[in-house]
Amino acid sequence: MDLPRIFTIRESSHRIHNPFTHAKYATLGRALHLQPGTRVLDLASGSGEMLSTWARDHAITGTGVDISTVFTDQARARAAELGVADRLTFVHGDAAGHVADEPVDVAACLGATWIGDGVAGTAQLLGRSLRPGGLMLIGEPFWRGQVPDAETARACFAQSPDDFRTLPGLVEHFGDLGHDVVEMVLADQDSWDRYQAAQWLNLRRWLDANPGDELAAQVRAELDTGPALYARYQREHLGWGVFALMPR
């Protein structure tokens, strides 16, 4: 059980595996008024940057679950680097269906709602670990405006324009699911650049070092098309944000 190798190649230099920056995570932590001892569960926790920096800055405790062995090892190393390994546990495992042993104060899934087959299922999954009155965090893409055609949608990782909602539509959807939206922090085009454009250098350096690898042709194809697709479609049309929810 592991993440396909192309993901770890593509994001090999990343500490954050979504369109957030360290500053965005810091803003989110302050916005949530995290208190020392807050218990956080992070499903699909990646390299553990959110939990590790929040443990350092806010003295939270937490558990991260991720299917990638590479990212889980990086998360443990990051917690040790920041001196917070005693407050955090990183588990290699499938986040889909994972429920905390004891209710937590904050249950999060940022950018991986496929673990619940979409927003609704992920909210239901997170709710199973959340204490009454706790906060749920969901990170999710949205359309920044009208999507002109299916070609644009496909270039933005969607099969059709209906796969993602607009920002108002996503906020309304959370309400329809029975949750109050109580905070949000959104990525911007600069933070998208840092996530997407940094992948191109990772891919090129890997390709130069591994020209005979079985994934070389796939990496070459991504480098041939990825930057232009991002500049033409994704940067203009695709948004992303983290939404803090409280069940009604």
Side-chain angles (χ1 to χ4, degrees):
M1 179 176 61
D2 211 333
L3 197 65
R5 190 159 59 102
I6 186 63
F7 287 89
T8 56
I9 294 170
R10 193 185 289 128
E11 301 187 20
S12 58
S13 70
H14 290 50
R15 281 183 170 163
I16 299 171
H17 303 286
N18 60 55
F20 256 18
T21 60
H22 293 90
K24 296 284 186 183
Y25 271 135
T27 297
L28 180 61
R30 291 192 301 268
L32 298 179
H33 306 288
L34 296 171
Q35 299 299 310
T38 297
R39 296 162 298 169
V40 182
L41 173 67
D42 188 9
L43 299 184
S45 51
S47 296
E49 194 68 9
M50 183 180 78
L51 287 179
S52 294
T53 54
W54 283 2
R56 176 196 63 194
D57 298 340
H58 302 284
I60 62 108
T61 63
T63 298
V65 182
D66 199 275
I67 199 170
S68 169
T69 54
V70 171
F71 294 162
T72 301
D73 287 345
Q74 290 176 347
R76 292 168 180 157
R78 182 61 167 157
E81 177 187 1
L82 296 183
V84 296
D86 59 327
R87 299 181 200 156
L88 303 174
T89 300
F90 290 101
V91 177
H92 171 242
D94 189 353
H98 183 93
V99 178
D101 294 335
E102 297 181 0
V104 300
D105 303 302
V106 179
C109 177
L110 308 188
T113 55
W114 56 81
I115 69 170
D117 294 323
V119 170
T122 300
Q124 185 177 46
L125 173 61
L126 293 174
R128 295 170 62 191
S129 295
L130 195 65
R131 69 163 176 81
L135 286 168
M136 185 182 300
L137 302 180
I138 292 182
E140 182 71 0
F142 57 84
W143 296 124
R144 297 181 67 231
Q146 184 68 34
V147 180
D149 49 42
E151 178 184 2
T152 300
R154 288 192 296 270
C156 296
F157 317 112
Q159 294 302 309
S160 77
D162 294 334
D163 282 2
F164 302 140
R165 294 172 172 83
T166 63
L167 178 57
L170 182 57
V171 170
E172 290 169 356
H173 183 52
F174 290 133
D176 292 340
L177 294 174
H179 299 276
D180 289 324
V181 178
V182 296
E183 256 293 0
M184 70 179 188
V185 177
L186 304 183
D188 54 31
Q189 288 179 313
D190 288 340
S191 58
W192 265 109
D193 291 348
R194 300 286 27 89
Y195 175 57
Q196 288 288 104
Q199 296 177 20
W200 309 333
L201 184 57
N202 293 338
L203 292 170
R204 176 54 194 267
R205 285 179 169 167
W206 181 90
L207 188 61
D208 287 348
N210 301 276
D213 191 275
E214 63 181 0
L215 291 179
Q218 180 179 350
V219 171
R220 180 69 263 169
E222 286 198 24
L223 278 173
D224 286 346
T225 61
L229 284 174
Y230 173 70
R232 183 179 300 276
Y233 297 107
Q234 298 155 20
R235 197 175 192 271
E236 177 65 23
H237 294 285
L238 196 59
W240 194 87
V242 177
F243 303 86
L245 315 174
M246 295 182 71
R248 290 175 183 160

